[in-house]
């Protein structure tokens, strides 16, 4: 038997063993337990409890590679396990800073587009938050990590009741084929009055030629300044207003997506849900406009 066949057979056996172990109730209990979560976080370098971050870049753009270095250093100084993609510590840290400043440990938090390698919910767990949910299309069944529950879900059409969450976090998700209109509609529906939606996405002020490349099954999208301005207008139509002035200025293409040889940056902004008294009327007007626009497109 050749060496390559032995390696392939060994890999298949390993995967079969993993599936078998996952089917054993005691193994499932262990991996889903809070004790296992704490141990995994400690092994990843977490301090329990961690220090609160002193740095944030909310409602602005990632303006330089120096900020990537600063964010990573702050994550380490806080005693938090860093994101496996070093660039993503910038928006995750900004989101964490805002959540800790605006909420307490009883807040109900949802992360949309939340694979198991995302750091957002584990970071909040380290700060004492326990009402933590994550949804992503990658899950075929619920997965629990201590009090954190991950499940399959389409962020534009979730199964949650209206006004279920104090905070929703979406980090580098909406550029992957998500309808912006459907996104803000659903996020507004899920948020409680005065709740906060935190969104980060790929960005550069001017159009970038993505050369028709495909990632995650959809064409790569890097939002421009006009795209972001239109996005914020759409959000206002669903009762979501910025928590502060948003700056879209950029100095440097601080992000590199190596597999596709693309260079751009990130933006991260927070929107607060208005009191419900005026939202239904705004939603009705916005939906009517969008339907009229869609009908006009069909006629043309």
């Amino acid at each position: 038997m050749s060496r390559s066949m032995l390696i392939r057979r060994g890999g298949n056996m390993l995967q079969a063993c993993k599936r078998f172990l996952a089917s054993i109730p005691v193994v499932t209990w262990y991996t889903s337990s809070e004790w296992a979560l704490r141990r995994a976080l400690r092994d990843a370098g977490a301090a329990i409890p961690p220090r609160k971050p002193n740095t944030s870049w909310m409602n602005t753009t990632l303006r330089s590679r120096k900020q990537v270095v600063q964010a990573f250093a702050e994550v380490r100084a806080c005693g938090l396990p860093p994101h496996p993609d070093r660039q993503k510590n910038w928006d995750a840290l900004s989101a964490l800073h805002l959540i800790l400043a605006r909420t307490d440990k009883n807040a109900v938090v949802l992360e949309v587009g939340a694979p198991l390698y995302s750091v957002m919910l584990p970071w909040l767990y380290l700060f004492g938050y326990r009402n933590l949910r994550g949804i992503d299309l990658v899950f075929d069944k619920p997965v629990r990590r201590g009090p954190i529950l991950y499940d399959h879900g389409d962020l534009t059409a979730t199964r949650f009741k209206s006004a279920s969450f104090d905070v929703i976090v979406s980090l580098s998700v909406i550029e992957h084929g998500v309808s912006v209109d459907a996104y803000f509609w659903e996020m507004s529906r899920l948020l409680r009055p005065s709740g906060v939606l935190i969104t980060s996405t790929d960005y550069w002020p001017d159009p970038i030629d993505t050369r028709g490349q495909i990632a995650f099954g959809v064409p790569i999208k890097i939002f421009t300044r006009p795209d972001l301005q239109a996005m914020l207008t759409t959000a206002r139509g669903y009762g979501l207003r910025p928590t502060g002035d948003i700056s879209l200025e950029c100095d440097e293409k601080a992000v590199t997506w190596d597999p596709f040889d693309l260079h751009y940056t990130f933006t991260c902004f927070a929107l607060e849900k208005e009191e419900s008294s005026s939202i239904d009327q705004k939603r009705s007007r916005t939906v009517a406009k969008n339907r009229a626009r869609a009908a006009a497109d069909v006629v043309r």
Side-chain angles (χ1 to χ4, degrees):
M1 186 179 292
S2 68
R3 177 182 175 85
S4 61
M5 290 179 67
L6 284 170
I7 292 174
R8 191 179 305 114
R9 176 170 293 184
N12 292 337
M13 291 177 64
L14 178 60
Q15 292 302 317
C17 288
K18 287 182 177 179
R19 288 193 296 271
F20 171 72
L21 288 172
S23 70
I24 302 175
V26 68
V27 174
T28 301
W29 170 84
Y30 170 77
T31 57
S32 65
S33 69
E34 188 167 355
W35 183 88
L37 174 61
R38 291 173 70 87
R39 178 169 181 175
L41 290 170
R42 284 188 185 276
D43 290 346
I48 302 178
R51 170 177 70 77
K52 289 185 178 182
N54 297 321
T55 307
S56 175
W57 296 273
M58 187 58 65
N59 292 333
T60 185
T61 63
L62 172 57
R63 302 190 67 162
S64 68
R65 293 182 179 88
K66 182 179 179 180
Q67 287 184 349
V68 174
V69 174
Q70 291 173 338
F72 182 78
E74 179 69 358
V75 165
R76 284 298 199 188
C78 290
L80 296 167
H83 195 287
D85 181 351
R86 183 173 290 208
Q87 300 166 134
K88 292 302 298 171
N89 289 291
W90 177 84
D91 52 349
L93 191 69
S94 297
L96 177 67
H97 185 276
L98 182 72
I99 294 170
L100 295 179
R102 290 184 62 108
T103 68
D104 59 29
K105 299 175 183 178
N106 296 314
V108 184
V109 181
L110 171 68
E111 182 178 10
V112 297
L116 292 178
Y117 61 78
S118 176
V119 296
M120 194 73 259
L121 298 179
W123 281 3
L124 288 170
Y125 166 79
L126 288 171
F127 283 98
Y129 289 71
R130 294 296 181 266
N131 300 310
L132 303 170
R133 298 291 300 269
I135 60 170
D136 199 296
L137 295 174
V138 300
F139 298 108
D140 56 7
K141 61 181 180 181
V143 176
R144 184 171 288 280
R145 293 291 183 267
I148 308 172
L149 180 61
Y150 300 92
D151 204 351
H152 179 89
D154 176 353
L155 63 89
T156 63
T158 72
R159 299 188 300 272
F160 301 115
K161 294 180 180 179
S162 297
S164 291
F165 298 98
D166 299 295
V167 179
I168 303 177
V169 182
S170 170
L171 303 181
S172 291
V173 177
I174 62 172
E175 64 268 25
H176 300 302
V178 176
S179 164
V180 169
D181 185 76
Y183 169 69
F184 286 121
W185 165 272
E186 184 68 355
M187 297 302 100
S188 177
R189 184 185 72 81
L190 294 179
L191 278 174
R192 295 168 177 168
S194 300
V196 178
L197 170 64
I198 300 170
T199 305
S200 75
T201 191
D202 298 346
Y203 172 74
W204 191 249
D206 303 311
I208 289 180
D209 182 10
T210 60
R211 305 184 297 282
Q213 297 183 90
I214 303 293
F216 306 107
V218 295
I220 293 174
K221 173 70 175 179
I222 299 172
F223 289 106
T224 63
R225 185 193 300 271
D227 290 335
L228 262 294
Q229 292 169 337
M231 190 183 299
L232 294 172
T233 298
T234 298
R236 288 189 184 94
Y238 293 126
L240 299 168
R241 57 181 176 81
T243 58
D245 293 337
I246 296 178
S247 172
L248 297 176
E249 299 302 318
C250 290
D251 300 323
E252 180 183 342
K253 293 178 178 177
V255 174
T256 298
W257 197 354
D258 287 321
F260 300 97
D261 190 29
L262 291 172
H263 308 273
Y264 49 93
T265 193
F266 296 143
T267 184
C268 186
F269 55 91
L271 305 175
E272 180 179 6
K273 183 176 178 179
E274 298 174 357
E275 294 298 324
S276 58
S277 58
S278 62
I279 291 175
D280 289 339
Q281 293 181 352
K282 287 187 176 182
R283 280 181 176 172
S284 298
R285 288 196 298 269
T286 302
V287 170
K289 288 180 181 178
N290 291 341
R291 287 177 176 172
R293 190 181 304 120
D297 290 340
V298 170
V299 171
R300 285 197 292 267

